Amino acid sequence: MDLIFLDIELKKTLGYELGSYIRNVLNLQKIDIVYISNNSSYAMALFKTRPIDFLIKPIKKEDLRNVLDQYLKLNKEKKEFFKFKNKIGYQRIDVQDIYYFESENKIVKIHCINNIIKFYGKLNDVEQKLNDSFIRIHSSILVNTVYIAQFKYNEVKMINGELLPISQSRRQDIRKKQMDRWENNS
């Protein structure tokens, strides 16, 4: 889900308690929340869950349209998704949540911030779908450079402490890309 509309006055709990659960327990920081209520006194209690808006009932079409326009503006450039199919069905993952892809015997593992997801495929096909923030460091590993903490001669250290090997055949290319990025960002 990308956007949730939560009524404040639910039968078993308060909507902002559910919003807090979404943010703090499920750790879903990228989902946008819009609260709805006929009582504006809740507005201050909502700030801890960082909603994008608060709508007062009865909701007018214009207010809903404004919220949706705001959501689209905020998310237009923010999210890029990697789409794939596995046993569960068609899925998509925000590219910003992916540390790296690892291929083993026609199975691609997506190493994400919170889990590992598998699907059948080829790393070459995955690489063609991604932006240039991903680099191939090994025939079986494609890394999101956003999460690289340190480049070493024969490995990269990820921000979670994981060490991933750089194949000998790719070391020179990796160093060149690293230098190009460094020069372009300075």
Side-chain angles (χ1 to χ4, degrees):
M1 284 181 267
D2 299 318
L3 176 63
I4 298 174
F5 288 84
L6 275 178
D7 197 318
I8 297 292
E9 296 159 355
L10 301 170
K11 289 182 181 180
K12 294 185 179 182
T13 187
L14 293 173
Y16 66 83
E17 290 175 348
L18 181 56
S20 179
Y21 181 81
I22 289 168
R23 292 282 190 249
N24 301 319
V25 177
L26 298 177
N27 197 28
L28 298 173
Q29 305 302 318
K30 295 179 182 180
I31 293 175
D32 288 314
I33 299 172
V34 175
Y35 289 105
I36 302 167
S37 180
N38 54 9
N39 185 345
S40 63
S41 67
Y42 290 110
M44 294 308 290
L46 307 177
F47 282 104
K48 290 182 180 179
T49 60
R50 297 179 320 282
I52 63 168
D53 213 330
F54 179 82
L55 297 175
I56 301 291
K57 292 179 184 178
I59 300 171
K60 299 173 189 161
K61 283 185 182 180
E62 183 180 324
D63 292 339
L64 183 59
R65 189 172 292 123
N66 288 338
V67 167
L68 292 174
D69 285 345
Q70 177 184 356
Y71 167 78
L72 290 172
K73 285 177 189 174
L74 289 170
N75 289 283
K76 185 177 183 181
E77 298 173 10
K78 184 170 83 171
K79 294 188 180 182
E80 179 182 342
F81 294 98
F82 176 74
K83 299 170 187 172
F84 62 97
K85 182 182 178 204
N86 63 6
K87 292 178 183 177
I88 296 171
Y90 290 96
Q91 294 189 33
R92 67 181 190 160
I93 299 175
D94 189 338
V95 170
Q96 294 177 359
D97 292 339
I98 300 171
Y99 283 144
Y100 65 96
F101 293 88
E102 179 181 25
S103 175
E104 185 179 318
N105 298 327
K106 297 183 184 179
I107 295 176
V108 176
K109 297 177 187 175
I110 307 171
H111 293 260
C112 301
I113 292 172
N114 296 320
N115 59 357
I116 297 174
I117 302 168
K118 298 177 185 179
F119 69 95
Y120 287 102
K122 296 179 182 178
L123 205 54
N124 287 338
D125 296 338
V126 171
E127 187 173 20
Q128 290 176 359
K129 295 179 182 179
L130 297 169
N131 62 37
D132 62 350
S133 68
F134 284 82
I135 59 172
R136 191 86 168 256
I137 63 169
H138 193 279
S139 61
S140 63
I141 302 173
L142 183 62
V143 179
N144 189 343
T145 58
V146 171
Y147 295 111
I148 295 176
Q150 183 179 25
F151 279 95
K152 296 182 180 180
Y153 175 71
N154 61 348
E155 63 188 7
V156 294
K157 182 177 182 181
M158 303 301 287
I159 62 167
N160 64 357
E162 198 169 355
L163 298 173
L164 302 174
I166 300 174
S167 66
Q168 185 173 355
S169 63
R170 297 188 185 266
R171 288 178 189 157
Q172 186 174 2
D173 185 47
I174 298 295
R175 281 195 297 274
K176 183 182 180 330
K177 286 181 181 179
Q178 180 185 1
M179 289 301 294
D180 290 345
R181 281 195 175 103
W182 184 77
E183 289 173 0
N184 291 333
N185 292 330
S186 57

